[in-house]
Amino acid sequence: MKVSLFITCLVDMFYADAGKDMVEVLERQGCELSFPKGQVCCGQPAYNSGYVENSKSAMKNMIKTFENAEYVVTPSGSCATMFKLYPDVFKDDLNWLPRAQELADKTYEFTQFLVNVLQVENVGAKLTGKATYHPSCHMTRLLGASEEPKKLLNQVEGLEMIPLPNAHNCCGFGGTFSVKMGDISEQMVDEKVNSAIVTEADYLIGADCGCLMNIGGRAERVGKPIRVMHIAQVLNSNE
Amino acid sequence: MAMKFSKKNFTDRTKENISDDFMRQAVASAQERLHGRRLDAAEELGSWEEWRSHGEEIRQHVLENLDFYLHQLSENVAERGGHVFFAKTAEEASDYVRDVIKKKDGKKVVKSKSMVTEEINLNAVLEEAGCEVIETDLGEYILQVDDHDPPSHIVAPALHKNREQIREVFEKKLDYHKTSKPEELALHAREKLRQEFLDADIGITGCNFAIAETGSISLVTNEGNARLVSALPKTQITVMGMERVVPSFEEFEVLVSLLTRSAVGQKLTSYVTALTGTRDEGDVDGPEEFHLVIVDNGRSEILGTEFQSVLQCIRCAACVNVCPVYRHIGGHSYGSIYSGPIGAVLSPLLGGYDDFKELPFASTLCGACTDACPVKIPLHELLHTHRRIIVEEEGRSPISERLAMKAFGIGAASNPLYSMGSKVASTAMKPLTKNDRISKGPGPLKDWTDLREFPAVGNTRFRDWFYDQKGGK
Ligand code: SF4
């Protein structure tokens, strides 16, 4: 199966390891991977802040970049959601609408792709310890990927999953919200970090690097001992 | 209380409320209690999604045919001996109520909870005209007694107060000397209020839904006070937002099911009252005179716009009860009687961007509200629509932000520019990086690193690794 990677800016620049892990997991499942070079950003930072017009050029660039892809797979629930919103952004542009729709239809978040397209739940990963999972909002509610990560994590050998209290509450990232509304974001992320700590888990797992950067960055700052991992890193573990 | 109740700016309000530990504890525990109950109630009903769609359809149908149903409603109210007044503005509405009361030489007014009477600033207008106005819903009563503390929640207006605080208010204002047990507090309020009901000459109620086919108005409550307000005084005045109409009892039943389950996780509330017209011959109670005030106050301007769906709202507060932002800042931070996600959408529409432009940005667009809404209002999308209008059409964002976004539009669309930028960033951030993280960021990063560590830019970007390992393309 031919898969084009949409790696996202955060993974490209800050979390390359999570990207590499995703590559290895997918290759083990027999996928043939490519990385379309023109990709930059899905447009989310501008779009979510209300700058729809300014975000369109980034979106068009992505549509062009992935035009020849069969499947587009990304390690981020919120960036996948952004692609899914493209048809709505271009709903009045007859030229771009079909192209946007085509991209939206062939885009999958990493865990959705594994479970729903490749139909695997056990990828042969091993990781010893206790973990808790934070369901990112866009991934869970807007994309509808709520069960897939759990199915995959339940199959990881040695990993004990502990429910996260008030898991449904947002971690307070929200893109520019995290800096524009710092006072509020701080309270939200503190509650998230504390909820993770009370589970006594060794790992907090998520599937969106924005949220992980927020939760992990705060946990480090306030000195809370929990290791934050992207789900691709867990699924590529063998320890 | 008018819709806007605070002169402070949003940031100050938020800061102040975040440091109110009592409020936050009260809100968090209420949210957690209601969350579970609502989900259980939805599950108990079964096929919740179908019910939601049905609710949405009913509300959309009404909005598409609002003129028809309002006309039918008013004809039927008139037929049953009632008077109907359409108020274009808040002032028109409260002036009309005041004039009715004046004509009746009314002195004492008992009210049951109604957000729309808050919106039209009714109490202040009546008090100025020399009336004594008594709120009889327990939550509203507590706030009124506490020197008109503003409501912080559209269903439970005193949600921000805990029992102990309520006891203190009662002790100070109502000569109360018992414990903070809810039953004892409620009993005290009830005793105080009973005499007021008997003495009142005017009763004012809100209206959960008005039924067009029969000309009835309905009240959905747990306390029973609304029944006394509508049964004892000789004159009853009901104030409703113009969108609160349903075609018949059949649709009413669907919406009440959605409302009580979503608001309090109950199959039904203790009282669901439908009132039609004035007292008939032989009736033992009910008003001799009935007025229905239908308030527009900006609603008709929302019709036909991209915000129309907000008028589907049945004021259940499910969106408020799941909102993670409301959870930490409480209702008063919104500065509007309408708080939480519904408030963040509605307040700028009814009250304007000058006063409420921050509210649509006080959200992570997490979508919890949209998920919870029993009539499927896409709340987070409407918040986003506000943002777009505020920055693109109204140009109300700071120039620095606009320039940054413009630059984003150029940089994020071009791979060479991005590549150059990300390499420069990597080099520029090196000196700031310690142990793979940045603790004190420059410029725009500072707002982030004030609160959290920022990850170091990796030595090798993913794309470089990929080309290196797997070859280009
Ligand atoms: S917007 Fe929806 S969830 Fe919120 S109060 Fe209105 S009906 Fe209830």
Side-chain angles (χ1 to χ4, degrees), chain B residues 154 312-320 342 369 372-375 377 379:
Chain B
I154 57 174
Q312 286 163 218
C313 178
I314 59 175
R315 302 287 191 273
C316 70
C319 57
V320 185
I342 178 63
C369 46
C373 178
V375 289
I377 302 173
L379 289 152

Side-chain angles (χ1 to χ4, degrees), chain A residues 38-44 46-47 51-65 83 86 89-90 93 96 103, chain B residues 392 404-415 417:
Chain A
Q39 63 183 284
V40 183
C41 171
C42 62
Q44 223 181 151
Y47 178 83
Y51 295 83
V52 178
E53 282 309 315
N54 285 337
S55 67
K56 281 185 179 167
S57 50
M59 295 177 179
K60 287 179 179 171
N61 173 59
M62 289 304 228
I63 293 173
K64 281 190 270 181
T65 301
F83 272 19
Y86 282 11
V89 176
F90 292 105
D93 187 335
W96 284 92
L103 176 59
Chain B
E392 283 186 350
M405 290 300 175
K406 213 174 191 164
F408 172 88
I410 299 165
S414 144
N415 184 40
L417 277 179

Side-chain angles (χ1 to χ4, degrees), chain A residues 5 7-20 23-24 27 33-55 57-59 61 65 68 85 88 137-138 141-142 166 168-189 191 210 213-218 220-222, chain B residues 10-11 14-15 18 24 28 31-32 35 322-325 327-329 358-359 361-369 371 380-381 384 387-389 391-392 397-398 401-402 405-406 408-415 418 421-422 425-426 429 437-440 444-445 447-467 470 472-473:
Chain A
L5 298 171
I7 210 64
T8 77
C9 336
L10 283 181
V11 172
D12 192 30
M13 288 173 65
F14 304 109
Y15 297 101
D17 286 344
K20 294 175 202 169
V23 165
E24 291 179 13
E27 280 184 341
L33 304 181
S34 68
F35 183 92
K37 247 183 178 163
Q39 63 183 284
V40 183
C41 171
C42 62
Q44 223 181 151
Y47 178 83
N48 280 351
S49 307
Y51 295 83
V52 178
E53 282 309 315
N54 285 337
S55 67
S57 50
M59 295 177 179
N61 173 59
T65 301
N68 297 319
L85 283 174
D88 187 57
C137 305
H138 286 180
R141 298 202 183 92
L142 308 186
N166 290 313
H168 55 272
N169 280 341
C170 175
C171 73
F173 176 59
T176 50
F177 174 88
S178 61
V179 287
K180 260 191 174 174
M181 298 270 169
D183 290 336
I184 308 174
S185 179
E186 178 182 8
Q187 303 305 317
M188 294 166 77
V189 70
E191 187 177 9
M213 182 166 95
N214 182 40
I215 304 170
R218 182 64 182 176
E220 274 178 24
R221 172 61 54 87
V222 293
Chain B
F10 178 75
T11 316
T14 315
K15 277 210 169 85
I18 283 177
R24 291 182 54 188
Q31 277 200 336
E32 274 153 46
H35 185 250
V322 295
C323 178
V325 169
R327 181 181 181 84
H328 295 287
I329 67 175
E358 291 85 4
L359 300 190
F361 293 92
S363 161
T364 57
L365 305 180
C366 77
C369 46
D371 245 18
H380 76 281
E381 290 173 19
H384 181 258
R387 292 185 184 185
R388 179 174 54 71
I389 294 173
V391 303
E392 283 186 350
S397 51
E401 182 184 292
R402 266 181 279 160
M405 290 300 175
K406 213 174 191 164
F408 172 88
I410 299 165
S414 144
N415 184 40
Y418 166 79
S422 56
S426 160
M429 306 237 270
R437 59 177 98 137
I438 298 167
S439 300
K440 274 207 172 96
L445 248 196
D447 289 334
W448 177 278
T449 55
D450 278 350
L451 301 174
R452 328 161 182 82
E453 303 295 319
F454 191 76
V457 182
N459 286 331
T460 322
R461 294 176 313 170
F462 174 85
R463 61 181 69 214
D464 301 326
W465 171 83
F466 193 89
Y467 300 144
K470 322 267 168 194
K473 174 69 203 142

Side-chain angles (χ1 to χ4, degrees), chain B residues 27-39:
Chain B
V27 171
S29 63
Q31 277 200 336
E32 274 153 46
R33 208 169 52 238
L34 289 166
H35 185 250
R37 272 205 225 157
R38 180 176 59 84
L39 295 182

Side-chain angles (χ1 to χ4, degrees), chain A residues 7-232:
Chain A
I7 210 64
T8 77
C9 336
L10 283 181
V11 172
D12 192 30
M13 288 173 65
F14 304 109
Y15 297 101
D17 286 344
K20 294 175 202 169
D21 287 317
M22 177 171 83
V23 165
E24 291 179 13
V25 172
L26 289 173
E27 280 184 341
R28 235 177 279 129
Q29 297 302 325
C31 296
E32 195 185 313
L33 304 181
S34 68
F35 183 92
K37 247 183 178 163
Q39 63 183 284
V40 183
C41 171
C42 62
Q44 223 181 151
Y47 178 83
N48 280 351
S49 307
Y51 295 83
V52 178
E53 282 309 315
N54 285 337
S55 67
K56 281 185 179 167
S57 50
M59 295 177 179
K60 287 179 179 171
N61 173 59
M62 289 304 228
I63 293 173
K64 281 190 270 181
T65 301
F66 289 101
E67 203 114 60
N68 297 319
E70 198 173 318
Y71 290 99
V72 177
V73 176
T74 179
S76 159
S78 71
C79 302
T81 305
M82 189 70 249
F83 272 19
K84 301 274 181 201
L85 283 174
Y86 282 11
D88 187 57
V89 176
F90 292 105
K91 63 177 183 292
D92 298 323
D93 187 335
L94 291 182
N95 200 0
W96 284 92
L97 176 60
R99 299 167 77 180
Q101 188 64 53
E102 202 208 310
L103 176 59
D105 292 344
K106 66 187 179 190
T107 296
Y108 294 86
E109 180 277 329
F110 172 54
T111 65
Q112 278 191 320
F113 186 73
L114 285 172
V115 174
N116 303 335
V117 181
L118 299 179
Q119 312 253 332
V120 284
E121 291 180 14
N122 189 340
V123 294
K126 276 190 216 149
L127 181 65
T128 313
K130 293 192 213 165
T132 191
Y133 174 73
H134 167 63
S136 290
C137 305
H138 286 180
M139 164 125 168
T140 313
R141 298 202 183 92
L142 308 186
L143 194 63
S146 57
E147 294 311 310
E148 291 87 343
K150 291 182 193 154
K151 286 183 182 161
L152 290 159
L153 291 172
N154 284 337
Q155 301 290 335
V156 175
E157 201 183 314
L159 198 62
E160 183 194 343
M161 293 303 298
I162 302 166
L164 180 65
N166 290 313
H168 55 272
N169 280 341
C170 175
C171 73
F173 176 59
T176 50
F177 174 88
S178 61
V179 287
K180 260 191 174 174
M181 298 270 169
D183 290 336
I184 308 174
S185 179
E186 178 182 8
Q187 303 305 317
M188 294 166 77
V189 70
D190 271 348
E191 187 177 9
K192 187 58 74 182
V193 168
N194 290 334
S195 308
I197 293 297
V198 299
T199 65
E200 297 185 353
D202 308 300
Y203 312 106
L204 174 88
I205 302 170
D208 233 312
C209 286
C211 316
L212 295 178
M213 182 166 95
N214 182 40
I215 304 170
R218 182 64 182 176
E220 274 178 24
R221 172 61 54 87
V222 293
K224 295 276 163 108
I226 190 154
R227 187 167 163 218
V228 169
M229 285 178 94
H230 188 275
I231 192 163

